[in-house]
Amino acid sequence: MKVNVVLGLQWGDEGKGKIVDVLTPAYSVIARFQGGPNAGHSLEFDNKKFVLHTIPSGIFRDKVTNIIGSGVVIDPVIFVEEVNGLKQLGIPVAQRLLIAKRAHLILPTHRIIDAASEAAKGNTKIGSTLKGIGPTYMDKTGRNGLRVGDILSPAFLDRYEALKQKHLAWLKQFDYTYTIDDYEQQWLACIDVLRTFTLIESELVVNKYLSESQKVLAEGAQGSLLDVDFGSYPYVTSSNTICAGACTGLGVAPSRIGEVYGIFKAYCTRVGGGPFPTELDNETGERIRQTGCEFGATTGRPRRTGWLDVVALKYATLISGVTQLIMTKADVLDGFESIQAAVAYKIRGQETQQLPFEINEPIEPVYKTFKGWNRPITNIRKEEELPFELMNYVRFIEKETGVSVRIISVGPDREQTIVRS
Ligand code: GDP
Ligand code: IMO
Ligand code: MG
């Protein structure tokens, strides 16, 4: 059996939470493989909305095992808040969740370093979610980090204190005022809660499930253009958000990867700093933001909005070997007479269809205009009832990327999903 993977193909918030929830009934295991509480994955069903940050989006479904994989970074405080919220809804979280011992811990001082280094950046800020993601992955690759499995060691508190002291020394270079005591107390209490969960060698468990022919779906966080190696560096997150991240974040071999589902919005959004070639810093952009409720699920920040970027979409499809595309939020464009998509870039007068190394230099998008469908699609459930103009747009994307669009999402609810034949 192979692992299927769900990935965001843009700058995050493509609707991964909704789509994983929709796909979950066909799987017995849902595994998050990278990122941490910088993610905000929204799900809607029975007229209720839920946002998950660390816990996989399969948690609401019965008889499904959810795994927080070794490539994830965990803040115990945010994790416990999330667990408590789910428990209040009657979800037996502990019974449905396994946590990798190799996942790294976000320390209170990681969050402070994140905030201090962002503040020091002035107008070159990344626009981090300030959850401590970058500093935690730095300590992981710098071989200083603390892992979830370490909380079982009698030496844990000493090791925590030693790393904290390193961080406090590092923080002296910043002109930054902070307090640590309250959050630290809470953090240590939440470590005790974390200890009550089932901690596993996730690479062995996932491979065992595969050998037993159980169906495993890997859930990505963020999006391909935020990948630390292939995204719009340095305006990226600190993990591999592309398909390869599922291999390193779960311990599964590349030959074990099956379908790669790439999710994209019918337009683009980005939250935080960094280049965004098709950004609409105007009334049209504001209209998309309001209609699409484009405000961050983690930080509440307004998301930047723009037309679909087919150049970037092709790139994201290429580097992850996407086998099936999923288009979300087509309904947000319902009221438009016409819509646009960038099919090339003009850089210093030269037209190109490739994402340049220096994506931070001025890029002028070359647009293709499509006739809008200009009618509501949120109540449509059958492919054949979708407007011709929308299908025209979909077919264009399929032709450009060479990949079929298998699912079209027409609203945030579980039910508002059309699986094409
Ligand atoms: P994720 O991080 O990729 O899981 O995406 P987010 O949850 O951060 O953001 C996607 C937002 O769009 C959420 O509020 C979803 O409820 C919503 N959403 C998902 N799919 C659709 C859709 O097809 N149409 C509309 N209107 N909203 C959607
Ligand atoms: P989901 O999983 C959208 C962005 C931040 C910032 C940059 C670095 O919900 O799609 P970080 O906190 O990782 O240091 O921030 O990445 N970012 C996201 N944007 N969706 C996300 O996750 C994001 N996670 C991080 O806004 O620009
Ligand atoms: Mg999100």
Side-chain angles (χ1 to χ4, degrees):
M1 196 54 89
K2 300 212 171 190
V3 177
N4 294 347
V5 185
V6 165
L7 299 170
L9 296 183
Q10 296 162 323
W11 282 285
D13 305 328
E14 297 89 351
K16 298 174 291 292
K18 168 185 165 159
I19 297 299
V20 170
D21 173 60
V22 166
L23 297 176
T24 297
Y27 291 87
S28 43
V29 181
I30 307 294
R32 263 283 299 270
F33 58 84
Q34 46 67 235
N38 48 349
H41 293 183
S42 319
L43 293 77
E44 281 193 43
F45 51 88
D46 300 340
N47 294 318
K48 288 190 220 77
K49 179 170 177 161
F50 310 93
V51 181
L52 296 167
H53 300 286
T54 315
I55 295 176
S57 301
I59 199 74
F60 293 97
R61 306 272 196 177
D62 205 8
K63 301 195 190 94
V64 174
T65 302
N66 289 263
I67 298 180
I68 298 177
S70 50
V72 175
V73 291
I74 301 179
D75 182 328
V77 176
I78 298 177
F79 170 75
V80 170
E81 274 170 11
E82 212 171 318
V83 168
N84 289 342
L86 288 166
K87 273 193 195 159
Q88 276 175 10
L89 300 169
I91 309 290
V93 190
Q95 288 161 37
R96 294 185 187 172
L97 185 67
L98 307 173
I99 305 171
K101 286 183 188 165
R102 292 181 192 277
H104 277 245
L105 289 171
I106 302 175
L107 269 57
T109 38
H110 282 134
R111 288 169 62 113
I112 297 169
I113 293 172
D114 208 359
S117 63
E118 272 284 83
K121 282 198 165 104
N123 59 9
T124 58
K125 278 187 185 37
I126 307 292
S128 161
T129 60
L130 304 181
K131 304 291 179 197
I133 305 296
T136 306
Y137 279 113
M138 276 167 68
D139 269 343
K140 172 178 173 171
T141 49
R143 297 161 294 182
N144 287 313
L146 282 178
R147 298 179 293 174
V148 168
D150 294 332
I151 67 177
L152 304 176
S153 159
F156 175 69
L157 281 181
D158 292 341
R159 294 180 58 188
Y160 165 73
E161 193 58 32
L163 186 52
K164 174 182 144 189
Q165 289 307 326
K166 261 190 200 176
H167 289 162
L168 295 181
W170 173 258
L171 275 163
K172 286 196 178 126
Q173 69 183 292
F174 299 102
D175 179 20
Y176 188 77
T177 317
Y178 58 88
T179 51
I180 181 169
D181 295 353
D182 285 355
Y183 200 78
E184 184 180 46
Q185 285 313 311
Q186 217 184 332
W187 191 88
L188 290 168
C190 291
I191 288 286
D192 291 336
V193 181
L194 193 57
R195 234 180 248 119
T196 64
F197 279 78
T198 309
L199 308 182
I200 56 161
E201 275 80 16
S202 65
E203 63 285 13
L204 302 182
V205 172
V206 170
N207 280 291
K208 180 171 164 286
Y209 285 142
L210 293 175
S211 66
E212 292 167 355
S213 296
Q214 298 213 42
K215 289 194 75 182
V216 179
L217 183 66
E219 174 179 0
Q222 290 80 53
S224 307
L225 306 175
L226 289 171
D227 182 273
V228 66
D229 285 296
F230 298 102
S232 45
Y233 194 85
Y235 297 95
V236 294
T237 190
S238 298
S239 64
N240 281 118
T241 59
I242 61 171
C243 184
C247 295
T248 55
L250 292 178
V252 294
S255 57
R256 287 283 206 170
I257 299 295
E259 296 295 333
V260 181
Y261 299 108
I263 309 184
F264 68 100
K265 287 183 195 181
Y267 50 94
C268 275
T269 64
R270 171 161 209 172
V271 62
F276 184 173
T278 59
E279 182 165 15
L280 293 166
D281 194 8
N282 57 20
E283 257 177 43
T284 309
E286 186 56 31
R287 184 172 165 197
I288 294 177
R289 178 160 38 250
Q290 295 303 333
T291 315
C293 304
E294 294 296 357
F295 298 89
T298 296
T299 58
R301 291 178 290 178
R303 294 175 182 150
R304 299 157 65 193
T305 53
W307 295 122
L308 182 68
D309 185 336
V310 178
V311 178
L313 187 65
K314 278 160 78 171
Y315 179 77
T317 305
L318 173 78
I319 54 180
S320 285
V322 171
T323 60
Q324 301 190 31
L325 287 168
I326 296 173
M327 182 162 95
T328 58
K329 307 195 88 161
D331 55 293
V332 175
L333 302 179
D334 276 358
F336 283 80
E337 291 281 344
S338 67
I339 56 176
Q340 292 186 292
V343 291
Y345 295 154
K346 224 179 218 174
I347 304 170
R348 280 186 255 110
Q350 289 271 22
E351 202 169 303
T352 175
Q353 293 201 352
Q354 281 185 11
L355 210 67
F357 167 76
E358 214 29 282
I359 194 179
N360 295 312
E361 71 178 313
I363 290 175
E364 193 192 323
V366 179
Y367 287 113
K368 179 174 166 65
T369 303
F370 296 82
K371 193 170 182 300
W373 42 99
N374 210 1
R375 67 179 168 99
I377 58 168
T378 49
N379 291 326
I380 296 179
R381 297 290 175 270
K382 290 189 185 133
E383 181 186 350
E384 54 277 17
E385 289 170 12
L386 285 168
F388 169 79
E389 295 84 353
L390 169 59
M391 294 320 293
N392 201 27
Y393 187 50
V394 167
R395 276 190 290 271
F396 176 77
I397 294 163
E398 290 181 321
K399 188 165 150 271
E400 286 289 307
T401 55
V403 184
S404 316
V405 175
R406 291 302 306 278
I407 297 178
I408 298 175
S409 170
V410 294
D413 195 274
R414 231 180 223 178
E415 305 296 326
Q416 292 173 301
T417 312
I418 298 168
V419 182
R420 295 175 71 202
S421 50

